[in-house]
Amino acid sequence: MLSRMRTGLDNAVSDEDLDTLDRLVGDGPDSVLHRADLVVRGSRTVWIAQAIKEENR
């Protein structure tokens, strides 16, 4: 999830910040994947609607 965000950050943050992000989301010893004290949570909002037919108005 975090690695997908990197593409959008290319022109928005410094090269140093991108390097830090790469270390955090990579497989190395600094990766958040090796941290037992972190949990990634995410959510998405979905709206579902149905159009009202003209005859029912």
Side-chain angles (χ1 to χ4, degrees):
M1 177 166 68
L2 293 173
S3 59
R4 284 187 272 167
M5 291 175 41
R6 190 201 188 285
T7 306
L9 294 173
D10 277 341
N11 296 321
V13 299
S14 70
D15 289 339
E16 182 181 355
D17 288 339
L18 289 174
D19 290 341
T20 301
L21 181 61
D22 288 340
R23 278 197 325 271
L24 291 173
V25 299
D27 290 330
D30 295 330
S31 174
V32 296
L33 297 174
H34 304 295
R35 302 262 321 248
D37 61 333
L38 294 177
V39 176
V40 176
R41 295 183 185 182
S43 65
R44 294 179 185 217
T45 302
V46 177
W47 292 82
I48 299 175
Q50 184 176 4
I52 300 173
K53 295 180 182 179
E54 285 293 323
E55 62 194 47
N56 292 339
R57 286 188 176 179

